[in-house]
Amino acid sequence: GVIIKALSGYYYVKPLGEDGAPIDSESSVQCRGRGVFKNRGISPLVGDRVKYVLTENGEGTVTEVLQRETELIRPPMANARLAVLVFSLKEPEMNVQLLDKFLVHIEQAGLTAIICLTKSDLVDEKSEQKYKEIIELYKKIGYEVIRTSSKEGLGFNELKEHLAGEISVFSGQSGVGKSSLLNAMMPGLALETNEISMKLGRGKHTTRHVELIPLDNGGFVADTPGFSQLDFLEIGVEELGDCFREFREYSGGCKFRGCTHTHEPGCEVIRAKIDGLIAESRYQHYVQFLEEMKDKKRRY
Ligand code: GDP
Ligand code: ZN
């Protein structure tokens, strides 16, 4: 099975069939972990594929954690391969700097990013051109970009195709439309959205723990409460350039090894920027993040 939730010492394991897809008709089994994991320094994570045995009263015991494909620290989860970065085009306006920051973390974690732009229906003609250019920019770098509207039913079949059979994390600021999108993709899901919580006169219930939601196509998604504390502590200064995908094409040609692409002579990244092959906005964010990293590392 796969651990879809971990809470108060229990692991909730969704049974998987021979093909690795969840068995829809079987609900999750509440399992205890065996003490043996702690001794070996393995702590089962949401997303882990595990072996378990059934014990009395319908509960179970996790006996083995299978090899992980990926491991994320924030949110703590295993085996995610896709990260859906959700940004709204309006309300709130898209924050391209934050997108680049997410992308750095995704590249470092080795996940595949899908950029999902929500609330397409709210975009006026004036902003349309600006967004077209942004979309083109990220597509050119090699990212999948999908525009959606939960109001108009746009884009979710396309998105859903990507999620089939995968464990995905949905990340984005509160209010960008993550819950609305997941609800629209999965009739019957009924996650609480902001609109509903407003009506009920309270802020949206935000979960602190990670939980996987099974889709009807063999995929699972984790609706994470946004990477709010995105810091760069786990990334080395010399790694940052490689987390900007399109830089890699040029950085091999830099004259100096360990070139930071800021002031060095013979820097091919700077040259590519001047030639218009690397977008000004991406380069600027790179320099900003580099400063931020150096600052943080000085302070800690
Ligand atoms: P979350 O915090 O990211 O889960 O965002 P919600 O799904 O709760 O949505 C926040 C607000 O945006 C709600 O008032 C939604 O009705 C609204 N919203 C979400 N998606 C769309 C959309 O595609 N179009 C429009 N016009 N509004 C949307
Ligand atoms: Zn360089």
Side-chain angles (χ1 to χ4, degrees), residues 250-251 253-256 258-262 264-270 286:
Y250 309 102
S251 56
C254 292
K255 188 166 163 201
F256 295 103
C259 181
T260 63
H261 322 309
T262 50
E264 295 88 344
C267 173
E268 286 298 308
V269 170
I270 295 179
Y286 166 76

Side-chain angles (χ1 to χ4, degrees), residues 109 129 182 243 277 286:
Q129 189 50 35
L182 288 170
C243 294
L277 300 165
Y286 166 76

Side-chain angles (χ1 to χ4, degrees), residues 118-122 148-151 173-181 192-195 204:
T118 62
K119 309 194 192 183
S120 266
D121 56 288
L122 296 181
T148 63
S149 165
S150 300
K151 281 264 144 69
Q173 292 168 293
S174 165
V176 295
K178 294 184 297 301
S179 312
S180 306
L181 184 64
E192 191 172 324
T193 66
N194 265 328
E195 226 158 35
K204 193 155 83 173

